[in-house]
Amino acid sequence: MRRLLAAVFCAAAVLAACEDDSPPPPTPPPPSTETYPDAGTRPDAGTQEPWACQRSTTVHNAPMRLLTRLQLEMSRATSSAQRTEAIDRFVAEVEEQGGRPLVSDVKAGRPRVAFFVRGEAGRDTFVAGDFNGWAATATPLVQVRDTDLYVAEVEVPRTGPQPYKLVKDGDFIADPGARNVAWDNFNRYDVGQFNSLIYPELQDAAKGRLTAWYDVPATVLGDVRDVFVYTPAAYDGRECPALPVMYLHDGNESLTRESFAESADTHYAARPEDSAVLVFVALPDQSVRLAQYTFPPARAPGWPTPRGDDYLAFLRDDLMPRVEASYRVKTGPRETGIAGASLGGLISVYAGFQMPEKFGFVGSQSGTLFWPHDGEVDRDDGNAMILRAGQEPVVPVRFYVDHGSPVAGCTRDGEEGGDDCQSNLQFVEALRGRGYGVAHWNEPGAEHDWAFWKRRLPKLLCNFRNEAPAVCGL
């Protein structure tokens, strides 16, 4: 079978000329149009053609013609070096033109889809998805002779977005070369997983979509992490809007423990005028959460060195420029928010005080606001963010604060069912005492859990775009 596929791969160059699988050249945009890699046109590019920002134009897999071209180049190559160069070009072009997998043109006679992996990661690897009933070993990647390229080609009906995963050593994993993803709907009560998508342009146009950036480097931290960019339905509209942007921590768990994307879809369907691009920033590993979501000056014995300032530097210096270059987002603090839950709420509040020139809105859900100013969690001698709110010069930032509490009333932080309500209420009081714009919501009986944060997320999203709390039922 492996020899046969390798031979077919090389022989296909001869047949390629007989199969008109390549679409006609796309209609070029007007000369003045500037484009984003995954975002349609720039907000300052003037009047655009109606198709410029529609999902059917900007969201797609790479075209199958790239594989056909590779087949031709491989058939003409006379050395290993030439074959390697051809594959290098092929991989780069796939990334530039939509990411994996490759799909045939909609007008082609057969709905062909090609998956590939390069290097040892492709050896003994399979593809599973709706198209083969998620059979773990039904669709193997086969090595192309004398190369490090592993390929599988199948037919997949163009009946909607088709989810799939790679299978390696029995483990189902997202395709790291696929740009378009969706949660696989399995709550693992830990870091979750995503399905990669074939035909992502066929996703429900009334809902948002997720784009995965894998292994985004953090210069100061010296690590890499995944980032998932949620663009609401309005983003793909004919008006080509530039939207506000919010950065959210715990970017994997907030999408896979409980789907914040689903909650955003519901809210934006009801209030499209609130639509914003949401950037979900995952951690490289859960073990660094305490370090990267806390800050100096001190720490209790045995705690990790706080690296919150380095994490915020990553957002400011590495991630925000990439988002602003890749998506139609508005810039400036009035159009930029930061939000998180628990420790994510704490680092968001800290970011507001540290970087008001970057973040004009802060959202905290059950924030760990009892975090001390002196590194010793004794809950009695002043909490860092409460002290900053009450004593330091006022900064031009609006705050949204929510939390749960016992039904009978708020208790001390750390007591069962308290959801840190005591320190959150103290923080709200300190903000209001200094004249800050603050929206507050207490949900009696709510637990410190993703399900409750998802339920309250629409209030946060609404307040991001509406300064008057009453507009959002707050």
Side-chain angles (χ1 to χ4, degrees), residues 169-423:
D169 298 326
D171 294 327
F172 287 70
I173 56 176
D175 183 347
R179 181 178 299 173
N180 303 282
V181 300
W183 179 35
D184 66 6
N185 289 310
F186 288 102
N187 185 347
R188 293 168 172 83
Y189 301 96
D190 199 343
V191 173
Q193 295 184 14
F194 296 86
N195 290 328
S196 306
L197 295 180
I198 312 166
Y199 310 135
E201 68 275 14
L202 301 182
Q203 295 176 88
D204 187 345
K207 297 181 179 180
R209 55 185 174 87
L210 285 174
T211 302
W213 289 349
Y214 294 113
D215 295 335
V216 177
T219 303
V220 177
L221 289 167
D223 59 27
V224 298
R225 70 197 61 222
D226 299 338
V227 174
F228 303 93
V229 183
Y230 168 91
T231 44
Y235 185 85
D236 296 324
R238 293 172 62 87
E239 296 81 8
C240 302
L243 297 177
V245 58
M246 184 184 298
Y247 295 83
L248 296 98
H249 318 295
D250 291 302
N252 181 296
E253 287 190 284
S254 56
L255 292 168
T256 65
R257 291 284 295 273
E258 291 287 344
S259 177
F260 274 29
E262 181 181 272
S263 184
D265 283 340
T266 300
H267 178 68
Y268 293 146
R271 289 186 57 86
E273 64 271 27
D274 292 347
S275 294
V277 173
L278 307 179
V279 182
F280 292 90
V281 186
L283 289 161
D285 184 276
Q286 294 301 104
S287 67
V288 303
R289 188 172 187 268
L290 182 60
Q292 295 194 6
Y293 290 175
T294 59
F295 41 82
R299 64 187 187 278
W303 289 7
T305 300
R307 302 203 64 186
D309 288 303
D310 292 338
Y311 171 67
L312 296 182
F314 156 69
L315 295 183
R316 180 193 62 207
D317 300 334
D318 296 330
L319 185 58
M320 293 178 71
R322 179 172 174 177
V323 170
E324 292 167 5
S326 301
Y327 287 88
R328 298 187 319 273
V329 295
K330 297 180 179 180
T331 58
R334 288 183 60 85
E335 307 292 347
T336 307
I338 189 167
S342 192
L343 280 172
L346 174 68
I347 195 63
S348 296
V349 171
Y350 182 70
F353 287 129
Q354 291 291 104
M355 298 180 176
E357 76 284 359
K358 290 295 182 181
F359 304 108
F361 175 85
V362 167
S364 172
Q365 296 193 283
S366 304
T368 310
L369 297 178
F370 61 78
W371 201 258
H373 73 287
D374 60 2
E376 185 66 34
V377 183
D378 49 29
R379 304 178 186 273
D380 292 320
D381 65 346
N383 302 320
M385 296 299 96
I386 296 170
L387 291 176
R388 292 193 73 163
Q391 298 178 10
E392 294 190 2
V394 173
V395 295
V397 175
R398 290 190 300 115
F399 292 87
Y400 166 93
V401 180
D402 76 29
H403 55 85
S405 69
V407 174
C410 185
T411 57
R412 286 175 56 84
D413 285 344
E415 295 181 356
E416 186 176 355
D419 196 27
D420 302 330
C421 60
Q422 180 188 27
S423 54

Side-chain angles (χ1 to χ4, degrees), residues 20-297:
D20 186 14
D21 189 45
S22 299
T27 303
S32 61
T33 297
E34 297 181 76
T35 61
Y36 285 98
D38 187 49
T41 55
R42 294 183 58 89
D44 57 354
T47 302
Q48 303 300 322
E49 295 292 334
W51 48 261
C53 302
Q54 292 177 349
R55 189 171 297 186
S56 59
T57 300
T58 62
V59 183
H60 50 78
N61 303 120
M64 185 67 80
R65 66 175 178 270
L66 297 180
L67 183 61
T68 301
R69 183 186 307 161
L70 175 64
Q71 292 166 340
L72 288 169
E73 292 182 2
M74 295 284 282
S75 69
R76 297 167 179 164
T78 58
S79 67
S80 176
Q82 290 180 341
R83 287 190 290 271
T84 298
E85 291 172 0
I87 294 173
D88 288 343
R89 286 192 298 272
F90 167 71
V91 172
E93 289 172 344
V94 169
E95 171 61 25
E96 292 171 358
Q97 298 187 39
R100 301 193 308 229
L102 296 92
V103 300
S104 60
D105 180 64
V106 67
K107 298 178 182 178
R110 295 184 295 134
R112 297 164 54 214
V113 176
F115 309 91
F116 74 88
V117 174
R118 195 174 186 186
E120 281 301 305
R123 189 182 301 277
D124 299 322
T125 297
F126 304 81
V127 185
D130 277 359
F131 68 90
N132 65 4
W134 291 96
T137 59
T139 307
L141 295 177
V142 178
Q143 185 175 13
V144 178
R145 188 178 57 195
D146 299 326
T147 76
D148 63 350
L149 189 67
Y150 296 78
V151 178
E153 185 175 326
V154 297
E155 291 189 15
V156 181
R158 196 183 291 268
T159 55
Q162 299 285 343
Y164 77 95
K165 281 188 169 84
L166 301 179
V167 185
K168 180 75 170 180
D169 298 326
D171 294 327
F172 287 70
I173 56 176
D175 183 347
R179 181 178 299 173
N180 303 282
V181 300
W183 179 35
D184 66 6
N185 289 310
F186 288 102
N187 185 347
R188 293 168 172 83
Y189 301 96
D190 199 343
V191 173
Q193 295 184 14
F194 296 86
N195 290 328
S196 306
L197 295 180
I198 312 166
Y199 310 135
E201 68 275 14
L202 301 182
Q203 295 176 88
D204 187 345
K207 297 181 179 180
R209 55 185 174 87
L210 285 174
T211 302
W213 289 349
Y214 294 113
D215 295 335
V216 177
T219 303
V220 177
L221 289 167
D223 59 27
V224 298
R225 70 197 61 222
D226 299 338
V227 174
F228 303 93
V229 183
Y230 168 91
T231 44
Y235 185 85
D236 296 324
R238 293 172 62 87
E239 296 81 8
C240 302
L243 297 177
V245 58
M246 184 184 298
Y247 295 83
L248 296 98
H249 318 295
D250 291 302
N252 181 296
E253 287 190 284
S254 56
L255 292 168
T256 65
R257 291 284 295 273
E258 291 287 344
S259 177
F260 274 29
E262 181 181 272
S263 184
D265 283 340
T266 300
H267 178 68
Y268 293 146
R271 289 186 57 86
E273 64 271 27
D274 292 347
S275 294
V277 173
L278 307 179
V279 182
F280 292 90
V281 186
L283 289 161
D285 184 276
Q286 294 301 104
S287 67
V288 303
R289 188 172 187 268
L290 182 60
Q292 295 194 6
Y293 290 175
T294 59
F295 41 82

